[in-house]
Amino acid sequence: MSNTAIAARRSDAISRGVGVTTQIYAERAENAEIWDVEGRRYIDFAAGIAVVNTGHRHPRVIAAVKDQLDRFTHTCHQVVPYENYVRLAERLNEAVPGDFRKKTIFVTTGAEAVENAVKIARAATGRPAIVAFTGAFHGRTFMGMTLTGKVQPYKAGFGAMMPDVFHAPFPVELHGTSIEESLGALDKLFKADVDPNRVAAFIVEPVQGEGGFYEAPKAFMAKLREIADRHGILLIADEVQTGFARTGKLFAMEHHGVVADITTMAKGLGGGFPIAAVTGRAEIMDAPGPGGLGGTYGGNPIGIAAGNAVLDVIEEEELCDRAERLGARLKQRLQSLAGAVPQIADIRGPGFMNAIEFNLPGSRAPNAGFADKVREKTLAKGLILLTCGVYGNVIRFLAPITIQDEVFGEALDILEGTLRDCAVEA
């Protein structure tokens, strides 16, 4: 088999709406490395978009899944429940920030978690409206893409969005939106478009993912919590990409000094197996009646087993601390290139959720072409990177937190060499 041959088959067989970043086809993977069908090795700085924080095929995760496979693979928890579902819920209730009693439900994807968080918030408050933020990404279902603050490619061509969803500007100083301006726009939204007494929840990513890896300022998050409390609005933290040690904490909200009423999570929870969850204040989570939440595959036993193992690995291997060390090393290396690569506009991100943003030299104009050139050239050298951001001018770094030191060093060398070469060629 060759990548080219499979790519041709893919083009004939799969909708073009399912985009792909690379044209390499995986044959096997281990920790932070992937080998394609032609035998070529790649260093993975995407981790399935922050899914395998614990690395591809972590032995503890694989062992837990194999053990579960030998027991049973599906009963539907709503029909015949199982203990490890309860155990993982208990662990998340304890781990999610907030000094109050919590409850959890399990679903299958991040978008499902967001959808259910909205349902729960509406049921608990009796209110219909939701406020999200520009640049946000919350999924591709109709509610998910309505909440998402980016038109291309997520909303274009799909018709009318869901009603009673409003957007306020997310504060990004680099792009000229201060905390004060963001909060001022929110106040205007309440005066012009929606009565705050109709708003069930704010939904916010503590660090925007697809939007560009912009961290919500602590002062902004504190004020958002204050506004929510003043008007009886719930705060939903979308931790789908930020959760499970990625930012140097188990959950990114731990950096902000405030807690959410409801937290959504997925990606890193399953270590490569599909599982998502919603955890929140017990009285809020109990607002929907029996049968109002759930799904046939929600909390599948395989994903549950993987989730319990992932929590064990994060704790035993101290991955939160390791994320801080790796992120500091990466940012230091990138910062050392600022003089040689004038396209660098910003280097940022908590823990090991890091990004580099490119502008035209001497300008505030986004330079998406440079970001894409860097991505393509590193791929040719065996390093997989992802771009993101509203303007497509950001490269995000999401290597497994378990990446071996020597492999990490090799990747940094490839990255530095590519950045220098691209700067010279520009």
Side-chain angles (χ1 to χ4, degrees), residues 198-253:
R198 290 186 64 250
V199 177
F202 297 129
I203 184 167
V204 62
E205 297 162 283
V207 184
Q208 288 198 330
E210 168 64 17
F213 277 37
Y214 301 107
E215 186 173 10
K218 289 182 180 180
F220 170 76
M221 198 69 87
K223 191 67 177 178
L224 198 63
R225 178 75 268 180
E226 179 187 318
I227 295 168
D229 291 340
R230 186 190 316 150
H231 295 291
I233 298 169
L234 301 180
L235 181 59
I236 302 171
D238 184 338
E239 293 256 19
V240 169
Q241 189 164 163
T242 56
F244 303 101
R246 176 53 58 184
T247 68
K249 301 286 187 182
L250 193 62
F251 294 99
M253 286 296 288

Side-chain angles (χ1 to χ4, degrees), residues 73-92:
T73 62
H74 179 76
T75 62
C76 184
H77 188 265
Q78 291 98 284
V79 179
V80 179
Y82 29 94
E83 184 274 337
N84 57 352
Y85 184 113
V86 177
R87 177 160 31 101
L88 185 57
E90 290 170 338
R91 297 177 74 176
L92 291 179

Side-chain angles (χ1 to χ4, degrees), residues 26-35 44 47-48 51-66 270-273 306 309-310 313 317 400 402 404:
E27 193 275 330
R28 63 187 178 93
E30 198 77 29
N31 199 357
E33 297 166 284
I34 294 174
W35 287 262
D44 184 9
V51 168
V52 288
N53 290 352
T54 50
H56 293 281
R57 301 183 67 254
H58 191 288
R60 286 289 299 273
V61 176
I62 296 302
V65 166
K66 286 181 176 179
F273 294 87
V310 162
V313 171
E317 299 187 14
T402 52
Q404 310 95 309

